[in-house]
Amino acid sequence: MHLNYIILFMNDFLTILKKDLFLLIDKMISDNIINSSFKKFSISIDYLSKSKQGDVSSNIYILIKKNLIDTQFDLNKFIKENLENISYIQKIEIAKVGFVNIFLKNELISSQIKELFKNKDFFGNNNSGLGKKINVEFVSANPTGPIHIAHLRGAVMGDVLSSILSCTGYQVTKEYYVNDAGSQIDILGKSLLKRYYQLFDKDIKISEDEYPGLYLIDLAKKIKENDKDKWLKFDKNKTAEYFKNYAVTELMKLIENDLKSININFNKFTYESAIVKNKLIDKLFSLLNKKKLLYEGYLEKPEGDDNKDWKPRKQLIFKSTNYYDEKDRALKKTDGEWTYFANDAAYHYDKFLRKYSLLINIWGADHIGYINRMKSIVEVFSEKKDFLDVRICQIVRLLKDKKVLKMSKREGNFITLNDLLKFVDYNSIRYFMVSSKNETPMDFDIDKVVSKNKDNPVFYCQYAYARASSVINKSKKYEEFKNLDKLINNFDPSTLSIYEWNLIIKILSWPYLLFQISESKQPHKLTNYLEELSSNFHSFWNMGKDNDTLRLFDLNNKNKTLTKLIWIESFRIVLKRAFNIIGIDAPESM
């Protein structure tokens, strides 16, 4: 995405600075100082790390030096003169290693604080997405049981990512794909029917490949209550169909309610059975056929298949090796039925027909091997290499008393979301599930997330908000501090300590950070930012206990106190914006 476009929608100081750095590069290229091949987008601005020496720092000097046409050119002098000539830059220092440390003027900070106050509820939002339609498909757990711990990471990531994209100008559809067709649903219906028979003292056992969960007993009891023994003597085929449909309908209600308990709602549910009924696979088949990407042939035995009676059989096959896949994939079984992959491909074709600019899928780690075949077939009908963006969520281990709680859905002893909510609240679940890179495994330690100390980051961040709120609420008792919006012009950066100045730089970095997270689609950067910001605030709060000049409230110096109140309110605004995106509470007191 070009910065010239972004600047139309963003006027935060970091975007403005980056634009000016790009203009400097353009000037150096036109003056034949550096090579025209210089990659401007490799310029970085460090605004968060502890290693930066200025208000912000950049690698621009290091990159320019590598691209100088005349190696004798006085780059230090040129960089210093040109950057210090920018109206909002106070001074620059070039470190020995080459990083440019940039110090900003008071006027810039004052103007940015005013912008924040003007747009409290939407501060940081931008229109860089240009209203493009994005489909985010996540959870999509098979309707064979309630939501459990293995689903939660992808569920929260999909929801938070959708919020981030919505804040940056995209039209987002949150979608759940319901796999209500195929053998696993037949097995589900059969398992429920057996539970129903057992209620009439029938000596029937659940076999190894069926679903033993107690939740099916509850459903069977509902059927018995409504229909009595009707299904004991009914047509077998109609009975099987009824129990299958009943199980899917009731379990989807359960899944929806489970997800709502942690504030996750979907815009659309798409059923595999509807995709099959609408014969979308036939339309996709015609498209693949025209492109000569289908053939009848034989595939090797799948890895991990222990069936000793397996034999090669002729199948209808998609040439996925023409794209990203390591082997071609079957679309139709020997009995004439479409494979799961075929139906899933038709579902993605359906999303393409709905005119989205991008499809994002949040999948569990067990689907990693499925990515290349799906990206291959999606590229066929979209004719775009990057139309499907798959994000993998690695496994979550649940810990209690320093022990791993083991789960097996097939054995019926998996830990459900409702089980987890008996120990922890939805704030902890939502926060922790996006607190680390989705590609790395994570431990969810129940003992840690219920603790009320700095080792629990969600508590630590919420406590920072509550502390800031206590100061603002106290200020409302005094007439001279009651309406900060009208007093914003009295904000005086000259009264700030270096600790406060650095905090404000981080607060005002929020719009740029939000844009970066939207571009990278990495929500964990949001919690990293919150923890850093909250830690700085708590540290400053504690300094005031020993240093009178750093106390947040000083009625003997009203101008200094007012300036503090304005940045503390700015801190609260940004924290609340971030909390809203993550989907957690912003408590006024704790």
Side-chain angles (χ1 to χ4, degrees), residues 27 118 134 242 256 283 299 332 373 426 498 537 553 562 567:
K27 181 179 186 301
K118 281 181 190 175
I134 289 184
Y242 174 82
E256 283 191 67
K283 294 178 183 177
L299 293 176
K332 192 175 278 190
R373 73 188 75 174
Y426 72 89
I498 186 62
F537 178 78
F553 229 91
L562 177 61
W567 77 251

Side-chain angles (χ1 to χ4, degrees), residues 96-114:
K96 285 183 180 179
V97 292
F99 283 99
V100 179
N101 297 312
I102 301 169
F103 299 84
L104 304 168
K105 288 184 178 178
N106 287 357
E107 294 80 6
L108 173 69
I109 300 306
S110 294
S111 66
Q112 292 278 297
I113 288 284
K114 288 176 186 176

Side-chain angles (χ1 to χ4, degrees), residues 77 162 228 376 411 434:
K77 181 182 177 183
S162 296
K228 306 297 186 288
S376 296
E411 292 173 12
V434 289

Side-chain angles (χ1 to χ4, degrees), residues 220-404:
K221 285 178 179 177
K222 283 186 182 179
I223 296 174
K224 181 182 179 184
E225 185 181 336
N226 293 330
D227 297 343
K228 306 297 186 288
D229 64 352
K230 170 183 174 180
W231 301 104
L232 297 178
K233 45 204 173 186
F234 212 73
D235 176 82
K236 283 187 178 180
N237 290 333
K238 289 181 180 178
T239 298
E241 191 67 19
Y242 174 82
F243 275 76
K244 182 171 67 172
N245 293 336
Y246 187 91
V248 169
T249 300
E250 292 301 311
L251 286 171
M252 279 311 301
K253 287 179 187 175
L254 182 63
I255 287 170
E256 283 191 67
N257 287 331
D258 283 351
L259 291 169
K260 284 177 182 177
S261 69
I262 55 171
N263 293 337
I264 294 178
N265 296 280
F266 286 88
N267 304 115
K268 184 174 177 58
F269 289 84
T270 297
Y271 285 76
E272 184 181 358
S273 57
I275 297 292
V276 173
K277 184 179 177 181
N278 292 334
K279 297 186 177 179
L280 275 166
I281 187 63
D282 293 336
K283 294 178 183 177
L284 180 57
F285 171 84
S286 297
L287 180 65
L288 295 172
N289 211 25
K290 283 180 184 176
K291 290 178 178 279
K292 300 188 182 335
L293 291 170
L294 296 177
Y295 68 95
E296 285 191 333
Y298 299 87
L299 293 176
E300 293 179 6
K301 184 178 180 179
E303 291 179 20
D305 190 334
D306 298 326
N307 182 4
K308 294 179 181 178
D309 298 325
W310 187 91
K311 291 180 182 178
R313 63 261 193 205
K314 203 171 189 180
Q315 294 175 286
L316 181 67
I317 298 170
F318 164 55
K319 293 181 183 178
S320 50
T321 50
N322 282 21
Y323 296 88
Y324 307 105
D325 216 351
E326 68 276 8
K327 57 184 176 181
D328 293 341
R329 303 293 174 175
L331 288 177
K332 192 175 278 190
K333 301 174 187 176
T334 50
D335 62 4
E337 282 190 22
W338 295 108
T339 61
Y340 173 79
F341 170 56
N343 286 340
D344 207 14
Y347 165 56
H348 283 75
Y349 183 53
D350 173 66
K351 289 194 281 189
F352 167 73
L353 294 176
R354 286 187 257 149
K355 307 293 183 185
Y356 288 106
S357 299
L358 176 68
L359 306 181
I360 299 176
N361 288 359
I362 313 293
W363 287 351
D366 56 335
H367 284 70
I368 287 177
Y370 203 69
I371 294 174
N372 286 341
R373 73 188 75 174
M374 190 52 64
K375 285 183 74 73
S376 296
I377 205 159
V378 166
E379 185 175 323
V380 172
F381 55 72
S382 68
E383 297 183 341
K384 296 177 185 175
K385 289 186 180 296
D386 56 355
F387 185 65
L388 175 62
D389 183 352
V390 180
R391 301 281 158 158
I392 292 294
C393 287
Q394 280 291 348
I395 58 171
V396 178
R397 292 196 315 168
L398 197 60
L399 305 181
K400 181 86 170 69
D401 301 325
K402 297 182 180 179
K403 294 179 181 177
V404 178

Side-chain angles (χ1 to χ4, degrees), residues 411-430:
E411 292 173 12
N413 64 352
F414 55 90
I415 297 164
T416 68
L417 170 58
N418 282 329
D419 292 332
L420 190 58
L421 285 169
K422 292 171 186 174
F423 299 100
V424 299
D425 68 6
Y426 72 89
N427 288 279
S428 297
I429 292 171
R430 290 190 64 104

